[in-house]
Amino acid sequence: MTMAKRDTYTPESLLAVAVGVFNERGYDGTSMEHLSKAAGISKSSIYHHVKGKEELLRLAISRALDGLFAVLDEPGATGGRAVDRLEYVTRRTIEVLIAELPYVTLLLRVRGNTDTERWAMERRREFDHRVAGLLKEAAADGDLRQDVDARLATRLLFGMINSVVEWYRPERRGAATSDEVADAVVHTAFAGLRTYR
Amino acid sequence: MTMAKRDTYTPESLLAVAVGVFNERGYDGTSMEHLSKAAGISKSSIYHHVKGKEELLRLAISRALDGLFAVLDEPGATGGRAVDRLEYVTRRTIEVLIAELPYVTLLLRVRGNTDTERWAMERRREFDHRVAGLLKEAAADGDLRQDVDARLATRLLFGMINSVVEWYRPERRGAATSDEVADAVVHTAFAGLRTYR
């Protein structure tokens, strides 16, 4: 039993606590009771901020999606050859993923049991679809190798990008910086690991 | 309520049913009751085959691990330059992953709440460690680009490989073959997607 503390939460700080609990227990496995315990305030105090846990999920997922979709409107994503825009979007996606790590982690783990989860999955597919479009355009320009199918290439690119949430731990000593991870992904995906001499 | 059917299961066919349920509900979320319903036989019939769900997990995980570790003893993985062995192991890992899809999926999703799960995670880390060793050797030979850290490269390579269990659906019309997926991963990871002219 924890003593209830005075509710000094802002919407942002309460959201940060909720996202931590969602990622640890899974969204389905999280009750208002769990959230109340983790935040150290009563359930009715939480209801003072939000309608319930689904609203917290929506806010958290929106934060991840806003970050990701904003990348697609940046100049580097809208001007120039498709292959360069694709590299730019890959790099910036990694940067957003690391800057908003718990929020994007939640987005990637969502499974589709509620309306909010299904909406999240649909928006995520929309993002993937936009990137797949860039990849197809780059392939049509002749800037991508022809022996890897565009759909497979998209899957593998996102496989690499999304894996970052599974292993990147910024607090670990000697952890790579956001830039180093972004460079590694871009170099690996576009230029390959192997040197040819 | 399903009618119990006659128990004509072999250890293999019972395991296949159990793995399907584990992957759908999560291992923690699966009870003997769920297994009994999915198999259409009574719990006591299941106990006639195995001691309980943890033994089914151990058998399933062993099947995945045996397949993966066997790759490391194949001639292509033991002779020749490290970079070629690494490519060989990457290709064969994809092939085993697709041939044993539900079993490797289970292995990759295991979280570590029981002794068997912790053992599975340890053996999986051991496999990753062996592949990381090959990658370091290839880097020391000068066969891998120097500007991607070996630990990061290992993470990204496994990010790509392991993502296959999340999206590969062999039953889907027009699904890529095991060979096509293996080629795509090897080409992407080692030679890169981009053409340079």
Side-chain angles (χ1 to χ4, degrees), chain A residues 87-88 90-95 98 157 160 164 167 176-193, chain B residues 145-149 152-153 156 196:
Chain A
E87 278 200 18
Y88 177 86
T90 300
R91 169 179 304 280
R92 290 284 297 125
T93 297
I94 295 284
E95 287 168 1
I98 288 180
L157 183 58
M160 236 192 300
V164 173
W167 54 262
T177 64
S178 171
D179 261 7
E180 285 165 349
V181 178
D183 280 347
V185 172
V186 168
H187 289 157
T188 304
F190 295 98
L193 289 171
Chain B
R145 52 189 307 144
Q146 305 292 311
D147 59 357
V148 177
D149 172 77
L152 272 179
L156 296 176
Y196 292 90

Side-chain angles (χ1 to χ4, degrees), chain B residues 186-197:
Chain B
V186 168
H187 289 157
T188 303
F190 294 98
L193 289 171
R194 188 166 182 154
T195 55
Y196 292 90
R197 292 169 304 180

Side-chain angles (χ1 to χ4, degrees), chain A:
Chain A
M1 181 79 200
T2 16
M3 290 287 286
K5 64 176 184 185
R6 210 173 129 249
D7 177 8
T8 55
Y9 281 104
T10 62
E12 288 71 30
S13 61
L14 182 61
L15 194 58
V17 171
V19 169
V21 183
F22 291 157
N23 281 332
E24 197 191 318
R25 311 188 60 94
Y27 175 71
D28 287 332
T30 301
S31 65
M32 285 299 284
E33 191 66 36
H34 294 130
L35 294 175
S36 151
K37 272 195 187 152
I41 58 175
S42 67
K43 281 195 268 183
S44 65
S45 295
I46 295 182
Y47 284 120
H48 176 75
H49 293 281
V50 288
K51 274 185 224 134
K53 70 167 193 162
E54 198 165 343
E55 187 177 346
L56 286 164
L57 179 69
R58 192 180 51 73
L59 290 169
I61 295 287
S62 294
R63 180 162 160 171
L65 288 167
D66 288 351
L68 291 171
F69 275 97
V71 167
L72 301 178
D73 294 328
E74 291 171 4
T78 53
R81 288 186 80 80
V83 71
D84 295 324
R85 286 183 277 140
L86 180 63
E87 278 200 18
Y88 177 86
V89 168
T90 300
R91 169 179 304 280
R92 290 284 297 125
T93 297
I94 295 284
E95 287 168 1
V96 169
L97 189 152
I98 288 180
E100 306 287 353
L101 196 58
Y103 301 91
V104 181
T105 302
L106 185 63
L107 172 66
L108 293 178
R109 290 193 185 157
V110 142
R111 278 296 169 262
N113 295 317
T114 61
D115 282 348
T116 302
E117 289 170 276
R118 281 186 288 272
W119 159 80
M121 289 176 77
E122 197 183 303
R123 293 281 288 156
R124 184 188 151 191
R125 269 196 295 271
E126 198 182 316
F127 182 80
D128 290 8
H129 193 73
R130 295 274 298 271
V131 178
L134 270 181
L135 199 143
K136 265 181 224 153
E137 221 184 300
D141 290 344
D143 288 332
L144 295 183
R145 51 188 307 144
Q146 305 292 312
D147 59 357
V148 177
D149 172 77
R151 276 170 314 173
L152 272 179
T154 306
R155 299 287 202 182
L156 296 176
L157 183 58
F158 276 110
M160 236 192 300
I161 292 173
N162 295 345
S163 78
V164 173
V165 307
E166 301 302 331
W167 54 262
Y168 187 68
R169 298 292 171 265
E171 71 283 5
R172 209 171 273 167
R173 204 165 56 90
T177 64
S178 171
D179 261 7
E180 285 165 349
V181 178
D183 280 347
V185 172
V186 168
H187 289 157
T188 304
F190 295 98
L193 289 171
R194 188 165 184 155
T195 55
Y196 293 89
R197 292 169 303 178

